[in-house]
Amino acid sequence: MRYDWNVDEISELFELPFNDLMFRAQQAHRAHFDANEIQLSTLLSIKTGGCPEDCKYCPQSSRYDTGLEKELLMAKEEVLANARAAKEKGATRFCMGAAWREPKGRAFEIVCDMVSEVRDMGMETCATLGMLNEEQAAKLKEAGLDYYNHNLDTDPEYYKEIISTRSYEERLDTLKHVRAKGMSICCGGIVGMGETRRHRAGLVAQLARMNPHPESVPINMLIKIEGTPMENLDDLDTFEFIRSIAVARITMPASHVRLSAGREAMSDEMQALCFMAGANSIFYGEKLLTAENQDADSDQALFERLGLRAEEKVDVASSRRMVNA
Ligand code: SAM
Ligand code: DTB
Ligand code: SF4
């Protein structure tokens, strides 16, 4: 496994003829995975809107008028009912997201309880709650959290165009605490935010230089939300999105690369190309956090047409041993 990728090398991958890039990605994919299996994660927003951060893409920032109603922390029973429904539909991982800068006080304790109870249902647990300190990471681990999602979002240089209220370094610190407490990392970014190809290569370099690599790498296509500063950006060339997935697959061959936000606007053919480029995970269910997603029925129909299968639950501890081998 390589952890020394530099931005020039990754830019060269982006420059490859499309067919060559896809071939390289498929070789990497098949060396580590069954290429016809897709991991299914279901998201739930457990605390929506009113976030003090200024992430320019985000419908949940209180700085933009996106028409979203700010809500209180969802009741535990409702969260558990959602997790049960997700499990019944075939999801193996349940990810709870909160529009917080960082978790605090009683709400954090309640989230830890939610994590424990979802894990007791036999699902993998994931949470995305903003920045964590060492103590919070330890508490989540103790509660039974398998994965923590915290994205780098973009290249370190381009980052200052997107977010001013939290630094890149702070993000890396949170990831360090998560890793130190023995949880798996879900970390990726967004493409289509007006960045250059070099910036996309820079984001992938940040991820692929982590040792070990993040176990899950969500690649999000920007959803242009009305009311955010990004609502009128030009669309990214769809092949460039597929290339980003392929480059993530080649540089982090044993990680689950997730075709994440933006799938609702993608054709079946586009999604099939993303799977061919090495994506082997999706968000499954009608909603992401606040935005629409493909519905489960259309995903099942697409899987049927492509001969894809949902991945069975893997033992997190043993997959970690494989990654480190
Ligand atoms: N508040 C926490 C945080 O930012 O760490 C957790 C939730 S936040 C909504 C999780 C991730 O969703 C962001 O890091 C970003 O990558 C992604 N995201 C948010 N809005 C998006 C959009 N409009 N399009 C694509 N991805 C988006
Ligand atoms: C990730 O990388 N994408 C997800 C998840 N991690 C938390 C979130 C996408 C959010 C899209 C906008 C919304 O639903 O509000
Ligand atoms: Fe808040 Fe997370 Fe949205 Fe940023 S991405 S505004 S931190 S909810």
Side-chain angles (χ1 to χ4, degrees):
M1 196 62 63
R2 277 190 63 185
Y3 303 99
D4 62 350
W5 290 94
N6 66 49
V7 183
D8 285 336
E9 286 174 297
I10 295 175
S11 296
E12 280 165 23
L13 292 175
F14 268 99
E15 301 293 327
L16 285 172
F18 188 75
N19 285 342
D20 293 346
L21 178 62
M22 294 291 272
F23 182 62
R24 293 263 312 259
Q26 293 215 353
Q27 283 176 312
H29 193 182
R30 285 166 188 270
H32 294 272
F33 290 101
D34 177 333
N36 301 308
E37 274 192 357
I38 308 284
Q39 188 274 331
L40 306 180
S41 287
T42 293
L43 274 172
L44 178 69
S45 180
I46 60 168
K47 158 66 187 81
T48 301
C51 183
E53 305 285 89
D54 68 353
C55 314
K56 279 191 183 153
Y57 48 76
C58 189
Q60 305 201 69
S61 166
S62 62
R63 315 209 177 199
Y64 319 125
D65 182 9
T66 61
L68 199 70
E69 290 270 340
K70 178 180 169 182
E71 291 170 20
L72 299 173
L73 183 64
M74 191 181 275
K76 189 169 78 180
E77 281 316 314
E78 196 177 343
V79 173
L80 298 180
N82 273 275
R84 235 171 270 123
K87 187 177 185 208
E88 269 163 31
K89 285 208 161 174
T92 55
R93 192 179 308 164
F94 189 66
C95 178
M96 292 157 270
W100 287 329
R101 173 176 166 78
E102 73 247 301
K104 285 188 206 134
R106 180 79 190 116
F108 179 62
E109 308 297 327
I110 297 172
V111 172
C112 289
D113 264 7
M114 292 172 181
V115 167
S116 299
E117 297 205 24
V118 173
R119 193 142 203 273
D120 289 346
M121 279 178 202
M123 292 191 95
E124 290 178 331
T125 51
C126 178
T128 181
L129 316 169
M131 285 193 288
L132 295 183
N133 60 33
E134 215 183 316
E135 192 191 331
Q136 290 168 326
K139 284 198 174 146
L140 285 168
K141 171 71 186 171
E142 203 182 312
L145 193 70
D146 297 310
Y147 288 78
Y148 194 74
N149 166 249
H150 200 61
N151 289 338
L152 292 177
D153 279 346
T154 190
D155 174 86
E157 276 304 303
Y158 195 60
Y159 182 86
K160 51 186 173 301
E161 309 291 325
I162 311 293
I163 299 149
S164 77
T165 50
R166 169 189 309 174
S167 71
Y168 215 79
E169 276 307 311
E170 286 173 314
R171 288 187 186 254
L172 294 170
D173 283 346
T174 292
L175 294 169
K176 202 168 70 194
H177 299 320
V178 170
R179 188 57 95 194
K181 300 301 170 200
M183 286 174 283
S184 294
I185 288 181
C186 172
C187 181
I190 309 179
V191 299
M193 296 196 294
E195 74 286 344
T196 61
R197 181 178 265 188
R198 182 94 189 158
H199 291 136
R200 287 187 279 280
L203 166 66
V204 175
Q206 287 288 324
L207 300 168
R209 290 174 71 85
M210 291 181 192
N211 183 1
H213 294 148
E215 284 74 9
S216 280
V217 180
I219 305 293
N220 295 279
M221 174 77 106
L222 174 72
I223 304 178
K224 289 183 255 174
I225 308 280
E226 229 178 281
T228 64
M230 297 203 154
E231 67 173 314
N232 293 318
L233 284 185
D234 288 338
D235 281 344
L236 181 76
D237 175 19
T238 48
F239 290 117
E240 191 64 16
F241 182 81
I242 300 162
R243 282 179 183 275
S244 307
I245 291 199
V247 170
R249 166 53 62 217
I250 293 166
T251 54
M252 294 168 278
S255 301
H256 278 86
V257 174
R258 185 174 307 123
L259 166 56
S260 302
R263 222 156 51 76
E264 207 241 345
M266 293 178 194
S267 66
D268 286 355
E269 292 77 6
M270 164 85 178
Q271 294 183 67
L273 280 171
C274 291
F275 297 135
M276 286 177 72
N280 63 347
S281 169
I282 56 170
F283 285 124
Y284 176 67
E286 285 61 37
K287 260 209 167 158
L288 293 165
L289 291 172
T290 68
E292 301 298 307
N293 193 22
Q294 294 277 354
D295 58 46
D297 291 347
S298 55
D299 283 340
Q300 279 167 11
L302 180 60
F303 277 31
E304 180 78 20
R305 287 170 79 198
L306 299 178
L308 296 173
R309 299 180 303 277
E311 187 186 276
E312 306 273 314
K313 189 158 129 359
V314 290
D315 182 293
V316 178
S318 68
S319 74
R320 165 64 57 67
R321 278 198 296 278
M322 272 164 54
V323 169
N324 285 342

